[in-house]
Structure formats: C-alpha cells, structure tokens
Amino acid sequence: MQLWDIDAGPNQSIKGRFQRDANGHEVWVLSLKRAWQFMEKQWVEVDDVEVYDDPLFLGEPGFSSMVADHDFPVLKRNTDVIIYGKARSYANRPVKHHQCRLLIDGHIDKTLDVIGPRQWVSHGGSITVSTPQAFIVQDVDYCHALGGDHRNRLGCGIAQSNQELLSCAVPSVFYSSQDWQANTDKVEVAGFGPLPPFFSERLSYAGTYDETWFEERRPLLPLDFDVKFYQCAPKDQQCKSFLNGGERVMVSGFSHDDVLSFRIPSEQYQAVARFGEDERTVDMKLYTLWINTEKMRIEATYTAAFPCQGQEHTLVSSKVLPVVEVLL
C-alpha cells in the first residue's frame, strides 16, 4: 500500500520509488512517462502507459534479451535512446542484406547491417559461414549478435571449440563493414536494444567486488562504482546531452513501408515533492526515449531524483508541473 500521494494530470502516468545511491542513502525517484502511437499517418498521444518497476525481457530474465530497463535510475547524465523491433525489408521484398538506422539530429547517427540466415561450413579443420538466405523479417536483438563471452553472453558466434561453435547459430547483426571472423576480438557486439547489467560494456561501470569490498564496504556499492552504469543504452545510442524538445528522430529499416519520423515534444516538466513542511522542486530530464517499431509506438520517460536520507518517512506528496516559459 502506498502511503504518500502522487498527483497525476491528464495523459500523465507518474510513479515514484525509493532507491539507494552508491553510499546507501535514500533517494526518492519520480518518473513521468508519455506515449504516442502512429495511427492513420500521424502520431497520436495515448494514455495506456506503464511506468516499469522492473526490466522487461523477451523471455526468461537473464537468459533472453532485454526489451526495456526499469524507469527508476538514481541518475543519468544524458538521454538513452532504445529501439525494440525487427528488421523488415522494404515493400516486403526478400533481401539477403539490409540496413537499420537510427538518426537524431545533432546526437546519434547509427546504422547496423542485418544479414540473412546462414549456416556454419566446416572444411579442413577451419570454419566459415555460408552465403546468406533471403529474408523479409528478421530479429535483431542481442541473441542474434556476436556473443558467447563476457561482452554478450546471450549472443552467438564465440565458442571454446569448433564442435561447440557448430552447435550455435550464426550471428546476423553487425556494424557496417564487419562480419563474423575467427578472430572475434575484432568484431563488435551490435544491437539497438538496452544493455543488460551483465554485458561488459555496462558491467565495467559497476565497480570492483573484491575481498576489500566484501570486508569493508558491502552491502554498499564499491567505491569505484560509476554512475554511467545507470545508462542502459549502448554508448552510440546515448545522446550528447539531454534531449530538450524539438529534435527530429528518424528510424529506418524496421518497417516495410515507412521511415518513422518523430519530433521530440517541447514540453518541459518539474517534479515537486513535499517532505513534511519542506517542499522541493527539481527539473525533470528526458532520461529515456523508447521506440517500439513492432507497435509503432514511442515512449518518453522524464525523471527527477530527491536525495532524502533521514527524511524518507516524512514524504507526504509528489506532483509534476509543466514548465511555463515566460516571454519578456
């Protein structure tokens, strides 16, 4: 049962949760989420929006690709942009190679190559891959990217022996000009989805859990914990700063018919929390932009954090207010 009030306005889905920072101090995290659906050739705001308490996975957590992270990070330094979808050929024409692209003016321009299904070919003690088969729709989550080691233990293409490799699928999602090769250290893990905490690109920021931490620091986070751990997007899908509104987003290669184009709303928000008689106001930043090309849907999550160690029991209410620009 929730013991504090959260005031939500029309088309606002707002939720709050107490989190702990790296030093174990209480932080009240408040998130507002808005969503738009592409219907009849236009984006329409909808109100069936869920603020996620926990990460979403395609299947069993930890053994399948993440769809979305939870919506209560203690801190982010810039906007994460996530895509959940599948590669779709233009006009439903079978293709052996395809490209998917994410473009945000001034922030992100990322293109990945998607290759049709292939098989391993073993000859003379070495292994290569066959020519690709044509496809119309193909998965592009991390299970289909290069993996099998600490970088991506959900993926395929890395194994301890040829026999083990032959029992795996052939990866099909790569950065441009890359493909599977025997020396997999030269091949990057490619994808548009969120990075699970156990992928090395994100795990490297979690800190060192050694004997010193065990004896002197636990259960707190390690002293070398980096707040970059809270960023769930790959590095090349993290904006240079927070998106402020007006930026154009374009996504291609995920639809048979259209290039999805969307402009970030210009509205800004402030979160207000009252702890006893103490009322505090914090600017909300666009922490996460989530693009679901399967449902032609975009969700924007704005978040604010209130450090409140020793005051958490006095929380009375929270609300979100639009920032009204004053014209002089």
Side-chain angles (χ1 to χ4, degrees):
M1 177 180 178
Q2 189 162 285
L3 302 179
W4 49 83
D5 295 326
I6 297 180
D7 298 329
N11 290 325
Q12 288 186 348
S13 182
I14 304 173
K15 206 170 187 179
R17 191 168 85 180
F18 283 107
Q19 299 281 60
R20 290 188 182 272
D21 64 16
N23 293 311
H25 295 159
E26 292 280 5
V27 180
W28 174 240
V29 180
L30 194 68
S31 289
L32 157 70
K33 183 177 286 189
R34 298 175 64 188
W36 296 264
Q37 192 83 38
F38 194 66
M39 298 183 289
E40 299 179 356
K41 300 298 182 180
Q42 63 180 340
W43 291 101
V44 178
E45 187 162 9
V46 294
D47 57 10
D48 59 327
V49 187
E50 180 182 358
V51 180
Y52 300 130
D53 286 306
D54 301 295
L56 298 183
F57 290 85
L58 280 173
E60 184 178 355
F63 295 92
S64 62
S65 294
M66 272 178 61
V67 175
D69 205 350
H70 69 80
D71 288 321
F72 297 99
V74 172
L75 179 67
K76 286 189 180 184
R77 299 294 190 190
N78 41 31
T79 301
D80 282 332
V81 182
I82 301 297
I83 298 179
Y84 168 64
K86 298 182 180 184
R88 285 180 159 80
S89 65
Y90 298 111
N92 288 278
R93 296 172 181 168
V95 295
K96 295 183 178 181
H97 295 83
H98 185 69
Q99 287 191 326
C100 294
R101 184 184 184 191
L102 167 64
L103 173 66
I104 300 181
D105 292 338
H107 290 272
I108 298 170
D109 190 354
K110 176 177 179 176
T111 300
L112 295 183
D113 290 343
V114 183
I115 304 173
R118 297 179 291 180
Q119 291 77 42
W120 299 111
V121 177
S122 177
H123 56 85
S126 62
I127 294 179
T128 59
V129 293
S130 67
T131 57
Q133 302 173 26
F135 69 94
I136 296 175
V137 179
Q138 183 147 307
D139 292 317
V140 292
D141 63 83
Y142 289 111
C143 291
H144 301 272
L146 180 77
D149 63 1
H150 63 286
R151 292 176 292 171
N152 169 17
R153 61 182 177 85
L154 301 176
C156 49
I158 300 175
Q160 298 298 315
S161 66
N162 285 355
Q163 183 178 359
E164 181 184 346
L165 185 62
L166 291 170
S167 68
C168 302
V170 179
S172 55
V173 185
F174 297 92
Y175 280 91
S176 297
S177 76
Q178 294 189 2
D179 197 351
W180 185 87
Q181 58 177 291
N183 184 2
T184 54
D185 290 341
K186 296 182 179 181
V187 184
E188 298 175 85
V189 175
F192 288 100
L195 298 173
F198 50 81
F199 276 29
S200 63
E201 181 181 332
R202 189 173 177 187
L203 185 62
S204 63
Y205 298 117
T208 305
Y209 295 83
D210 56 11
E211 185 175 346
T212 300
W213 168 83
F214 186 87
E215 296 292 339
E216 301 177 6
R217 182 72 176 169
R218 73 180 180 112
L220 303 179
L221 293 173
L223 290 173
D224 59 348
F225 175 83
D226 193 321
V227 295
K228 292 179 182 178
F229 177 80
Y230 295 126
Q231 306 281 161
C232 65
K235 291 179 182 177
D236 52 9
Q237 286 173 231
Q238 297 176 23
C239 296
K240 296 178 181 178
S241 57
F242 289 112
L243 297 177
N244 291 314
E247 298 91 348
R248 183 187 57 158
V249 180
M250 296 186 69
V251 176
S252 62
F254 294 88
S255 171
H256 295 305
D257 305 313
D258 298 307
V259 173
L260 296 182
S261 181
F262 180 81
R263 197 165 290 276
I264 302 297
S266 60
E267 291 89 346
Q268 302 289 316
Y269 301 95
Q270 290 182 327
V272 181
R274 186 155 68 91
F275 297 86
E277 298 301 318
D278 178 21
E279 186 171 274
R280 294 190 238 163
T281 301
V282 175
D283 290 336
M284 304 188 83
K285 300 298 184 181
L286 179 49
Y287 270 18
T288 308
L289 186 70
W290 188 67
I291 304 168
N292 184 340
T293 59
E294 294 301 286
K295 295 185 177 180
M296 304 292 275
R297 180 184 176 101
I298 290 178
E299 297 182 357
T301 304
Y302 302 81
T303 302
F306 298 84
C308 57
Q309 179 66 17
Q311 292 183 297
E312 59 272 18
H313 63 286
T314 67
L315 178 63
V316 176
S317 64
S318 301
K319 60 184 177 181
V320 172
L321 300 176
V323 175
V324 179
E325 188 172 321
V326 179
L327 301 178
L328 300 178

